[in-house]
Amino acid sequence: MRKGSHMDHGDRFSQPPSAPQAWLFVFVALRSGTETEYQALTKRAYRVRAMFFWALLLLVTPVMLYSMSDLPYDAQGDAPRSRGATQVIEVVGHQWHWRLSHDQVAPGQTVEFRVSSADVNHGLGIYDRDMKLVAQTMAMPGYVNRLRHTFEREGVYKLLCMEYCGLVHHAMFAEIRVAATDKQPGNTP
Ligand code: CUA
């Protein structure tokens, strides 16, 4: 019995160090190295890091300022003014139909859709005859979202609801006709 316990003891000492023990050895080894040398190294590393930070800031700042000066939103807002008179269509979403102030516009002139809702949130999607989405915005109660679009091609465009709004959501659609008429003053070819 005594012999057994002795062997146990010896086995424990011959085992390799566990992970925490290994880290402790490394830590002690680092601490025991000349303290001043270690501090000088740390100081130099900090200095390099600070220089790297300022260099990065110098590099990034002009790029950020340049990218901010050319926001696309501004260009979009300017476009209609150069395209002549703006045609306005008031659009109100209802469960489950669209009410439009009128449904005929001229091609080549900017149309401003003023979109709202009488009940819940709807999504206004405008599709051309190939059922390709050409413009979209949300119809929300209490808000008027302005969506500007210039229809270049004549034809019938579909207004569909793009936001699930209840039982008959899928059948919520309207049409607008894009056609040149004599009454429109801005019909330049
Ligand atoms: Cu309205 Cu979906």
Side-chain angles (χ1 to χ4, degrees):
M1 193 171 167
R2 201 180 155 195
K3 199 184 171 196
S5 74
H6 178 80
M7 269 178 69
D8 233 347
H9 200 69
D11 275 354
R12 204 180 297 155
F13 267 91
S14 65
Q15 274 170 4
S18 63
Q21 277 171 336
W23 277 113
L24 191 69
F25 289 158
V26 170
F27 181 70
V28 168
L30 274 174
R31 295 286 296 180
S32 65
T34 45
E35 194 80 1
T36 46
E37 200 178 300
Y38 181 66
Q39 275 172 349
L41 196 71
T42 310
K43 210 177 260 179
R44 208 164 60 198
Y46 282 169
R47 211 180 307 132
V48 168
R49 194 170 70 174
M51 269 166 61
F52 186 70
F53 170 76
W54 286 112
L56 205 68
L57 201 71
L58 269 168
L59 191 80
V60 164
T61 307
V63 171
M64 193 178 73
L65 288 176
Y66 173 75
S67 69
M68 279 170 73
S69 68
D70 199 26
L71 285 179
Y73 315 114
D74 230 29
Q76 235 172 26
D78 285 344
R81 261 164 261 159
S82 61
R83 299 296 296 269
T86 300
Q87 310 168 89
V88 175
I89 301 183
E90 313 266 357
V91 183
V92 182
H94 294 256
Q95 283 169 311
W96 290 274
H97 63 275
W98 296 107
R99 186 149 292 164
L100 311 178
S101 60
H102 54 282
D103 58 5
Q104 184 147 341
V105 291
Q109 281 183 32
T110 303
V111 181
E112 185 176 288
F113 294 91
R114 294 181 185 162
V115 185
S116 189
S117 168
D119 36 51
V120 299
N121 279 5
H122 301 273
L124 177 71
I126 303 171
Y127 293 81
D128 68 8
R129 62 183 153 201
D130 304 321
M131 286 312 282
K132 207 179 97 188
L133 184 66
V134 296
Q136 62 167 311
T137 190
M138 288 296 291
M140 303 145 82
Y143 294 86
V144 178
N145 290 327
R146 284 152 206 266
L147 172 67
R148 286 182 159 181
H149 184 72
T150 305
F151 296 95
E152 301 293 353
R153 289 160 63 197
E154 293 193 17
V156 174
Y157 290 73
K158 282 190 163 56
L159 274 52
L160 301 184
C161 186
M162 302 180 75
E163 180 81 16
Y164 183 73
C165 55
L167 202 64
V168 201
H169 153 77
H170 61 276
M172 184 171 167
F173 73 92
E175 286 180 348
I176 54 170
R177 186 175 294 276
V178 178
T181 60
D182 299 334
K183 279 204 289 185
Q184 296 288 348
N187 280 336
T188 45

